[in-house]
Every structure is written in structure tokens, then in C-alpha cells.
Amino acid sequence: MRGLVATIIAIVATVYYVPWNAYFEQKPEAAREMRDQIEMMFLASWRDYSKYGWGYDIYGPIDHSFRNMPRGGRPLGWIIVDSVDTLMLMYNSSALYKSEFEAEILKSQHWIDNVLDFDIDAEVNVFETTIRMLGGLLSAYHYSDQFEVGNKTIYLNKAIDLGDRLALAFKSTPKGIPYSSINLQSGRAIKNHVDGGASSTAEFTTLQMEFKYLAYLTGNNTYWKMVERVYEPLYKTNDLLNVYDGLVPIYTFPNTGRFGGFNIRFGSRGDSFYEYLLKQYLLTHETLYYDLYRQSMDGMKKHLLARSKPSFLSYIGEREQGLNGKFSSKMDHLVCFMGGLLASGATEGLPVHEARRKPFWDADRENDWNLAKELTNTCYQMYNQTPSGLAPEIVVFNEGETAPKSWWQSSLGDFFVKPLDKHNMQRPETVESIMFMYQLSHDKKYRKWGAEIASSFYDNTCVDCNDTKLRRFASLSDCITLPTKKANNMESFWLAETLKYLYILFLDDFDLTKVVFNTEAHPFPVLDKEVLKSQHLITGWSL
Ligand SMILES: *[C@@H]1O[C@H](CO)[C@@H](O)[C@H](O)[C@H]1NC(C)=O
Ligand SMILES: *[C@@H]1O[C@H](CO)[C@@H](O)[C@H](O)[C@H]1NC(C)=O
Ligand SMILES: *[C@@H]1O[C@H](CO)[C@@H](O)[C@H](O)[C@H]1NC(C)=O
Ligand SMILES: *[C@@H]1O[C@H](CO)[C@@H](O)[C@H](O)[C@H]1NC(C)=O
């Protein structure tokens, strides 16, 4: 009873004071108070979803509407499975809401164990289901084990069931490159309905961490081999390193392994191809993948890197017509993961001052580190130079040419926003990079940036904000015009990624040498070399 009263007093107390002061006033307790605020935001969204949308995959926080991903069908667990490891992380460190987090973990686990059933007669996207559901179950297994909360076996059993259903997608083509979708019940693989049946290059090259970790946990090396098979046709059929300097067009025909079209970018459909090259190396110690990553980064610096006017912000542009085509200064917010990726590739998760003393440190890594700082600053500017303090989905950097009148120009002039690109889906990539830069440099500036962005999310994506019982958060259809226009949607990555990365930014001593995040921010432990060897989980191809 005492505990309950204390919890109620604590909740009432935190709800009424103006958030973020602690950080900006540099109080000694600032990091902890920031974590309290981020937990409060997470719980506001979570309680609202629990009350009005529990169990459904897609949720509209404005009118409390919901539906499942397979239309009219059974749920895939989209929001619950994606969020469990964030509940666990906050449970492990919470000062105010520990018992509430524990209760919510057990409630979610009960739902996963008793309601969630992947025997669903519907077509699902192989990539999204792998990164969110398989990734979420595997990291819940890992954190359940590490933080001693819940029953880890439940998560692993579900992961194996789902993994075996998704595995059938790899049998769909002779080269082992999966079609984009699969029916989870029948195992029938389904080609992409558009883009001439081509698969997105980043989609079938962003399944490897999940299935390699599953192989490690189960000792079943079929998972390992099937996800690795996609690389050989991709690199060899296209002569990827010589013809493309390691930069991939965003479509690939699954039956031949040939690229479809010429469009090269680090935004949607390209992004996580590069991410998983590095992360496989960090997770499994396979040096081939660091070498491939290195060549792609060199290619990016040669063909895609530019600086804006007037502030010389570094950014990664696009080559829509291939490497010899015209350069485009457009950049998706999605590209903002690159600061964090370059930084963790340079230091391998060590603080930079330690990494610089390691034998692996070289001029390329120093260059990557400096570029990581520049790109993270650019992405911060994409927030800092808008009226809401939140970034739009896509920007076009200023190259010194005049832009159409209908394009909005940022306060310092460095970028434009087209009328249809003004939305903000509460995406994680910028706070992800800010988190990595802080944890790897301990430069307090990054915590200040993260606090500003968290505060902008609080001020400008909140619905019924003054009512502590009704408060919740939504995407924006326009982040440029004040007051911001809300959109009736809450993406699962708001809970799975954005709030998780903001939270880790304010954790002290979070050890990034021990963990690798999948592309949906689900943490997997770095795998033990000796165990990998004893299970014959090794790289099965070379160039
Ligand atoms: C979990 O909590 C313990 C005890 O407070 C702490 O030492 C540890 O760093 C936390 N782990 C993570 C990953 O935050
Ligand atoms: C954990 O879950 C597994 C699988 O459902 C079950 O067999 C086991 O008894 C559970 N363990 C505990 C301690 O409840
Ligand atoms: C290993 O995984 C494959 C792919 O899902 C599956 O077909 C096979 O039955 C599994 N093997 C064992 C021993 O479980
Ligand atoms: C919410 O509260 C703040 C601070 O008390 C006040 O300035 C604002 O007008 C209130 N907003 C609404 C919609 O009531």
C-alpha cells in the first residue's frame, strides 16, 4: 500500500511540472529526470493503446480506431511484440514506474503466449515481419534473460515458430533471393505486386542479423545459410564492387539477382543494405562483411556526399540515374541513421578515445568518425531549423539554385521541404545517431540535442496533453505550420525505436561493445566466437 501511495504521488508530481527543465538547467540529477520524462511519454502512449487498441496491429490515437495488418484477419502482434524490449529496458532502470512496467511485460507476454498465433492465412511482408516481429521476439528473449523478468522460453518458442514460417520465402527462387511477401499459413511466396516484381534490395539484405541470431540460439545452421546465400548473386552477377563501387540500386529481380533500374540512394529501399553489412561484422565477427562495408562507404564518399549552402552541412544525396547520372540533393529522414552507423563502425562500440588506441584504428576510421559528427549535426539541423523543432520526412538541400515558390525554406536556408513531404512519423533515425554519438564520445552537446528533440515531440505531437489520463502521441501530417497538424496514426517504431533510443541517450555506462541493434532497434548480444565455431556458423562464401 505504501508503495502504491508513493507511486501515485510520484506520478502526480511528474505530470504537473514543466518537462525538460532539469536538463536545460544542468541539474546533477538531469539524466535521471530525463529518463523519468521519457518513461512518462512511453507510458502515456502505451496506456492509451492498452485501453483502446489492445492486441490490434494498427492504431489511430486521435479517434482510438484500430485494425489488424491482415485486413479483417488475425493480429500479427505489430505493436505489442515491437514494444516488449522497451518495456523491459525501462523496467530495468525505472525509478518511478518499475512495478507498472513489470505488470505490462507480463500482460504482453501472456498475450503473446495465449492469443498471438502466426498460423495466419494472409500475405505478409517478409522484411517488415522479420525486423519487427522476429527481431522483437529475439530481443525480448535476450532482455528477459538479462534482466530476469518474465519467461524467456515463451519468446524463443514464438521466434522459432515464426522463423520457420518465414524461412519458406527463401525457397521461392533458384538463387535464394526471397520474393517480398509470404503467406504465413500456406508458405506460398508472393512476388512484389509492383515494380515489375522486383524485390527491394534493402529488404532481402536486412534479414541476416535476425536469422543468424536464431541459428546461434537453436544450433540450426539452415537459418544462417539461407540468409547468407543472397549475397553471392548480388555481388557477382552485378559485379557490384567494380561496376557500382559497392553502391546498390534499390531494386533487384529475385529470380536472377540482377538489379532493376539505376536508382541509388541511402534512403528507403537502400538504407539497411549498408547497415547490415557492418552489423553482421559487429554481431558475428565475420571480417568479410567489414570489408564489404568499407568499400560501400568509400563509394558513398566518392559519389553521394555533398555540402549545403549556406552552412556547409554534409549530406548524402541520390543518383537516380546511376553513378554517371545527375546528382540529386534530396535526402530522406531515413538517411539520418548514417551518423550512428559510421560512428559505431569506426569505434566498434568503444568510446572514441579508447578506440583511437586500438590496432584497428586507421585513417578511414578517423574519416568515418568525423563524417559521423557532421551528418549527425546535419540531421539535428533538420529539426532545429523548423518551426516545430521536428524534421520533415524528406528534405532537398540547398545547392545554391532557386527552388519553386511552393517549397518551404528552412530558417537558415540550408534545405527546402516540398508540399507533400512535410509529415513527421516520429521516426527514430536522428535520435538514434545522437544516442550513438553521445555514448561513443560522452560529449554533453548530444544530450542537449536529444532533450530538445524529446521536448519538441512532447510539445508538438501530443494529443489532449493537459489531461494526464488522456494524453497520447500521434504522427504529424505537417511539422512546418504551427500549431502542428496531427495525423491519426502511431507507428510501432515510436515505442520500439524513437523512445528507446532517447532513453538510452540518458542512460549512463550503456556498453555498446556488448550489443548490436537490429534495424528496428531490437538489441541482440554480440555472439560468442567460440560458440559460433563449435556450431559451424561461419561465412560460407567469398568474393
Ligand atoms: C540494468 O540495471 C542494472 C542495475 O541498475 C544496471 O547496472 C544495468 O546497466 C542495466 N542494464 C541496461 C542494459 O540498461
Ligand atoms: C516458461 O514457459 C515454458 C514454455 O511455455 C514452460 O514450459 C515453462 O514451464 C515456463 N517456466 C516457468 C518458470 O513458468
Ligand atoms: C532448421 O530450420 C529449417 C528452416 O526453417 C527447418 O526446415 C528445419 O526443420 C530446422 N531443423 C531442425 C532440426 O529443427
Ligand atoms: C495546457 O496547459 C498550458 C499550461 O498550463 C496552457 O498554457 C495551455 O493553454 C493549455 N492548453 C489547453 C489546450 O488547454
Side-chain angles (χ1 to χ4, degrees):
M1 200 58 194
R2 267 272 188 80
L4 184 64
V5 172
T7 310
I8 290 170
I9 291 171
I11 291 172
V12 171
T14 45
V15 150
Y16 288 107
Y17 78 72
V18 183
W20 328 120
N21 279 2
Y23 199 77
F24 299 120
E25 286 167 12
Q26 300 282 313
K27 286 197 243 162
E29 280 297 283
R32 212 217 66 234
E33 291 187 13
M34 280 300 302
R35 295 201 300 274
D36 295 346
Q37 293 301 336
I38 296 161
E39 288 173 21
M40 178 272 285
M41 289 171 74
F42 180 95
L43 285 172
S45 281
W46 180 261
R47 288 173 190 147
D48 176 65
Y49 168 73
S50 290
K51 188 164 177 196
Y52 297 104
W54 181 251
Y56 286 92
D57 293 333
I58 294 173
Y59 182 59
I62 294 181
D63 65 0
H64 300 137
S65 58
F66 49 73
R67 68 176 174 86
N68 282 327
M69 194 72 64
R71 279 189 184 267
R74 287 213 304 266
L76 281 166
W78 220 244
I79 294 178
I80 296 174
V81 173
D82 224 9
S83 305
V84 175
D85 63 4
T86 309
L87 287 167
M88 290 176 171
L89 183 73
M90 290 182 175
Y91 159 80
N92 183 61
S93 296
S94 183
L96 300 177
Y97 312 109
K98 200 173 178 79
S99 55
E100 182 173 359
F101 281 117
E102 185 174 18
E104 296 304 315
I105 292 162
L106 297 179
K107 185 172 102 185
S108 304
Q109 179 178 298
H110 187 266
W111 186 88
I112 289 169
D113 196 21
N114 295 289
V115 181
L116 182 61
D117 181 354
F118 288 121
D119 195 35
I120 300 173
D121 185 14
E123 178 182 327
V124 304
N125 178 284
V126 172
F127 156 76
E128 293 286 357
T129 310
T130 300
I131 64 165
R132 299 192 200 210
M133 297 301 96
L134 185 57
L137 290 165
L138 290 169
S139 62
Y141 167 84
H142 167 53
Y143 270 175
S144 171
D145 186 41
Q146 187 177 336
F147 302 149
E148 297 177 352
V149 62
N151 181 343
K152 63 180 181 179
T153 310
I154 289 173
Y155 303 107
L156 183 58
N157 287 346
K158 274 284 169 209
I160 294 169
D161 175 52
L162 180 60
D164 287 337
R165 293 172 189 277
L166 292 168
L168 297 172
F170 292 84
K171 294 190 169 171
S172 54
T173 66
K175 303 257 182 199
I177 296 177
Y179 287 163
S180 51
S181 301
I182 186 149
N183 181 306
L184 286 179
Q185 189 174 74
S186 67
R188 192 170 75 88
I190 302 120
K191 250 191 213 177
N192 186 0
H193 298 294
V194 290
D195 311 313
S199 299
S200 293
T201 308
E203 291 198 357
F204 66 84
T205 54
T206 308
L207 312 165
Q208 285 68 23
M209 287 180 68
E210 293 78 5
F211 281 99
K212 285 186 172 182
Y213 183 34
L214 187 61
Y216 178 89
L217 291 175
T218 58
N220 184 344
N221 67 12
T222 303
Y223 300 127
W224 181 288
K225 287 183 182 155
M226 75 187 193
V227 288
E228 197 178 59
R229 246 185 101 199
V230 306
Y231 287 113
E232 202 160 349
L234 199 65
Y235 275 87
K236 292 187 179 166
T237 311
N238 299 296
D239 200 4
L240 178 48
L241 294 180
N242 295 315
V243 176
Y244 294 90
D245 282 347
L247 302 176
V248 293
I250 59 174
Y251 293 108
T252 303
F253 291 109
N255 287 310
T256 60
R258 288 210 176 280
F259 290 134
F262 303 98
N263 198 347
I264 290 173
R265 65 176 180 226
F266 272 54
S268 64
R269 304 179 195 277
D271 45 9
S272 48
F273 163 78
Y274 307 99
E275 181 182 358
Y276 271 34
L277 291 179
L278 177 71
K279 288 184 171 177
Q280 280 176 92
Y281 166 68
L282 296 175
L283 185 73
T284 63
H285 327 283
E286 298 167 88
T287 53
L288 171 64
Y289 292 101
Y290 183 83
D291 297 340
L292 298 176
Y293 164 77
R294 177 82 269 139
Q295 304 221 33
S296 292
M297 292 306 105
D298 293 348
M300 175 271 285
K301 289 175 190 174
K302 185 171 162 196
H303 297 285
L304 300 178
L305 203 55
R307 283 173 185 273
S308 69
K309 293 188 173 152
S311 316
F312 300 103
L313 301 176
S314 294
Y315 66 92
I316 300 176
E318 304 185 354
R319 295 270 176 190
E320 288 157 22
Q321 298 303 323
L323 293 184
N324 299 321
K326 190 173 170 305
F327 176 81
S328 157
S329 69
K330 164 175 169 280
M331 189 171 101
D332 295 350
H333 182 275
L334 288 168
V335 180
C336 288
F337 78 100
M338 278 300 295
L341 192 80
L342 284 161
S344 49
T347 76
E348 304 198 8
L350 290 167
V352 67
H353 62 274
E354 280 179 47
R356 283 202 175 104
R357 293 198 296 264
K358 293 280 175 194
F360 63 60
W361 195 262
D362 58 17
D364 284 331
R365 290 181 187 241
E366 187 67 40
N367 188 282
D368 288 358
W369 175 260
N370 288 326
L371 182 56
K373 288 198 286 191
E374 290 176 19
L375 291 173
T376 305
N377 177 52
T378 300
C379 289
Y380 167 66
Q381 291 304 326
M382 287 164 59
Y383 287 67
N384 193 38
Q385 295 190 27
T386 68
S388 66
L390 296 171
E393 180 72 1
I394 303 171
V395 302
V396 178
F397 282 98
N398 184 356
E399 298 178 283
E401 284 158 31
T402 48
K405 277 223 176 70
S406 65
W407 295 13
W408 181 85
Q409 188 166 19
S410 70
S411 58
L412 298 178
D414 286 285
F415 59 88
F416 300 96
V417 185
K418 296 184 193 177
L420 293 178
D421 299 341
K422 292 180 179 172
H423 49 297
N424 174 295
M425 297 164 77
Q426 304 177 295
R427 284 197 187 277
E429 292 77 18
T430 296
V431 294
E432 171 181 349
S433 286
I434 288 173
M435 181 282 283
F436 276 104
M437 294 313 296
Y438 174 76
Q439 294 291 354
L440 299 177
S441 70
H442 296 142
D443 182 341
K444 285 250 169 41
K445 161 181 87 183
Y446 294 112
R447 279 188 165 175
K448 185 173 159 288
W449 292 358
E452 282 173 31
I453 292 173
S455 160
S456 299
F457 276 125
Y458 183 86
D459 290 340
N460 290 313
T461 73
C462 200
V463 178
D464 287 339
C465 220
N466 284 4
D467 187 327
T468 58
K469 287 218 180 91
L470 292 179
R471 179 189 294 157
R472 55 206 189 266
F473 297 88
S475 298
L476 301 177
S477 57
D478 181 347
C479 69
I480 302 298
T481 317
L482 291 180
T484 51
K485 271 201 213 90
K486 312 288 186 295
N488 189 25
N489 186 32
M490 177 188 74
E491 292 288 340
S492 67
F493 52 67
W494 165 243
L495 301 171
E497 300 192 70
T498 309
L499 291 170
K500 183 190 286 143
Y501 283 133
L502 276 170
Y503 195 70
I504 298 173
L505 172 63
F506 294 98
L507 282 173
D508 297 319
D509 308 319
F510 190 90
D511 188 346
L512 288 170
T513 63
K514 299 242 155 50
V515 69
V516 187
F517 293 93
N518 90 338
T519 194
E520 186 75 3
H522 295 306
F524 302 161
V526 171
L527 306 184
D528 186 300
K529 275 185 198 165
E530 295 308 314
V531 175
L532 285 168
K533 216 195 250 169
S534 71
Q535 293 180 324
H536 309 292
L537 297 174
I538 48 168
T539 313
W541 71 289
S542 59
L543 277 170

